[in-house]
Every structure is written in structure tokens, then in C-alpha cells.
Amino acid sequence: MIRVLIADDQAMVRQGFGALLAAQPDLLVVGDAADGAAAVAAARRLDPDVVLMDVRMPVLDGLAATRQLLGDRRAERPRVLILTTFDLDDYVYEALRAGASGFLLKDAPAADLVHAVRVVAAGDALLAPTVTRRLIAEFAARPGHRRPRPTDLAGLTPRETEVLRLIARGRSNAEIAADLVVAEQTVKTHVGRILAKLQLRDRAQAVVVAYETGLVAAGE
């Protein structure tokens, strides 16, 4: 069972998402929270696999709550799935840096919500194409924000570096395999090694590293 915590300041949203997720045989809603501080406390108490985290909440917003919940920990749980709308996309970059594993548009179909929870719980990142494009635009607007290239990046093989570039462009494992003319399992192996060498939680953080270090530039 995938344990889910829902954090949103709107009761109807919490109830609606809760009912939808509870109807799935492999999902268990362990609790909900109406603000960021309550979400952090509930997550630490209930130990969910996935936290659905709204951005705009009272007491503590979703970004601050994500930072508090994840910090610099490399733990597998919980995974944070940010609930966002188009007018909140300025927060995407900071949420990724805080450790969020994915983004879900609030007006997404019900099936997308269920899929998103399963994908994030499995340890994969969920970056919708629309969100990825806006993330790239955010980096384009901050040309001086990149950090120096980390030493660990030099430890990647040429093929791993190539795979990281493709991850940053929003390519799936299947698409990367097609681009490089290799088996999808080979790509999965490369991705696993990239995450291990760079000490990253998932692909979402790999995207941030690729742009911050200048390995990939917006508009490429």
C-alpha cells in the first residue's frame, strides 16, 4: 500500500482528492492537513510515502513546508508531489531545489492524480511537459543564478553526461533509449548511476543540477 498525506487549505480539495485516492486498491490516505506547519507535523507522525503539497497555504506555505520536511535528508520517504496552477509556476524551480519529486496541475484529470502518486512513490520524478517548459523559462530568466560546476559532475562518464542532458530536457527513459539507440534497461542503469554519483533523490533533482551547473542551457 502507498501511504498518502494530503496538504491543502481548501477542505473540498482535501475531501475530493482523499475520496479519489481512497478508492484505489493500492493507495491509503493516512491523513490530511490544512496548512504547511500541520503538514510537516502530520508527515513526521504518520510516515507517508507521498505528500500531496499545495503551495499557497496559511501558517507555512508549501515551499517552506517541503524544505522543513525534506531538508538535506537523502531518505527515500516521503516523496513530495506539489499541487500547482499556472499562476504558481514561478515556484517550480524553488520547489525542485527543496526536494520535491514532481508537480501536478490542480485541474488535471483524476486518472493523472492517481498515476502521479504511483510514479512518485516508485521513486521516479513527475515533470509534466508544460511544467518542464516553464522550468526552462525560469532558468532563462536567471542567467546569473547557476552555481559552479560541482566536482562530482566530472565523475560522470561521457555517456552518463549525455543521459543527464537528455533527462534535463524532459526525455523519458524510452525516448532516451531511442535517441541513443540502446536498450531501455541500459538507460535505467545509467540513470541510477547518475543519481548515485551526484547523491540525488530522483530525476527532478537531476534536472536542477543539469541547469544549475550549466551542463544544459535554457533554449538548447
Side-chain angles (χ1 to χ4, degrees):
M1 295 290 286
I2 299 171
R3 298 165 58 83
V4 184
L5 173 70
I6 302 170
D8 195 291
D9 62 339
Q10 298 182 41
M12 290 184 64
V13 172
R14 297 196 306 273
Q15 293 167 6
F17 283 177
L20 172 65
L21 297 177
Q24 308 303 313
D26 59 334
L27 304 182
L28 175 65
V29 178
V30 295
D32 60 38
D35 63 70
V40 172
R44 289 172 175 167
R45 183 177 71 254
L46 300 171
D47 192 30
D49 298 296
V50 177
V51 178
L52 287 181
M53 185 81 76
D54 190 19
V55 172
R56 287 183 177 171
M57 292 187 291
V59 184
L60 195 67
D61 67 35
L63 290 180
T66 298
R67 291 190 193 99
Q68 283 195 18
L69 188 58
L70 301 181
D72 293 326
R73 295 186 311 163
R74 302 296 177 184
E76 290 299 317
R77 285 165 43 162
R79 301 283 178 168
V80 174
L81 181 60
I82 297 290
L83 299 173
T84 185
T85 55
F86 283 116
D87 64 319
L88 295 181
D89 281 330
D90 286 345
Y91 294 100
V92 168
Y93 169 76
E94 292 301 331
L96 277 174
R97 289 197 64 202
S101 294
F103 298 85
L104 183 71
L105 300 178
K106 277 194 171 181
D107 60 355
D112 288 358
L113 171 61
V114 174
H115 173 70
V117 170
R118 289 171 176 154
V119 166
V120 170
D124 293 325
L126 188 85
L127 291 175
T130 52
V131 174
T132 302
R133 285 196 294 270
R134 299 212 173 211
L135 174 62
I136 292 172
E138 175 74 6
F139 278 100
R142 299 184 181 189
H145 194 72
R146 297 192 185 100
R147 294 176 175 177
R149 182 184 301 269
T151 303
D152 288 346
L153 205 60
L156 300 181
T157 66
R159 177 47 61 93
E160 288 166 354
T161 301
E162 189 173 13
V163 170
L164 179 55
R165 286 195 180 98
L166 293 172
I167 290 173
R169 292 176 182 135
R171 309 287 281 176
S172 67
N173 284 354
E175 291 169 335
I176 294 173
D179 289 344
L180 302 182
V181 195
V182 297
E184 188 171 346
Q185 183 57 48
T186 300
V187 174
K188 290 181 180 178
T189 299
H190 285 315
V191 172
R193 288 174 178 167
I194 291 168
L195 298 181
K197 287 182 178 181
L198 300 182
Q199 295 184 313
L200 304 174
R201 285 168 56 95
D202 50 39
R203 296 167 75 102
Q205 290 192 331
V207 172
V208 171
V209 167
Y211 280 102
E212 282 196 327
T213 59
L215 180 65
V216 175
E220 281 189 356

